[in-house]
Amino acid sequence: MADYDREETLDDDTTFSSEAIHEDIVNTLKTKLGEEEFNTTKVDAWTEDVICTVLKDLSELKKPFKYIVNCVISQKTGAAISTGFISLWDNAKDGMVHVPFENHSLHCLVTVYFLKLD
């Protein structure tokens, strides 16, 4: 088997557009939560729907990445919400996209972590 320099073998399948993913997630959130009134009985279903939609859209890209999708939905009450993460990964190949969204009654934070398959 021949040894190949990574830079020589890079093609469109190994690139990832964070901006495009961000835009797609914003559109998903506008569609699914844009006019919704916060309702605790619907939060679990909304969360699952958002996560499944985002994962489905990402899988359709057919890119060699593993994805982790996190979604937090909370009622808009004026209270602060803070999230964070720490990682040990290859910054040249792996990354994340964080998308905050809100309407008149709720906050939604979606974070996608993408990890390059070797």
Side-chain angles (χ1 to χ4, degrees), residues 29 32-33 45-55 71 110:
L29 294 174
K32 301 204 175 281
L33 301 175
W46 290 336
T47 303
E48 182 178 351
D49 188 24
V50 167
I51 289 171
C52 289
T53 301
V54 170
L55 276 174
C71 178
V110 174

Side-chain angles (χ1 to χ4, degrees), residues 62-90:
K62 305 285 188 219
K63 301 284 185 176
F65 290 93
K66 291 181 184 179
Y67 303 105
I68 301 165
V69 179
N70 183 51
C71 178
V72 176
I73 298 175
S74 67
Q75 187 172 12
K76 196 172 189 179
T77 62
I81 185 169
S82 178
T83 65
F85 87 100
I86 189 166
S87 64
L88 179 60
W89 60 28
D90 184 344

Side-chain angles (χ1 to χ4, degrees), residues 6-25:
R6 281 196 185 279
E7 292 181 14
E8 291 177 10
T9 60
L10 288 179
D11 59 20
D12 288 340
D13 286 342
T14 61
T15 60
F16 193 86
S17 172
S18 296
E19 295 81 18
I21 299 305
H22 187 279
E23 185 178 320
D24 288 346
I25 294 170

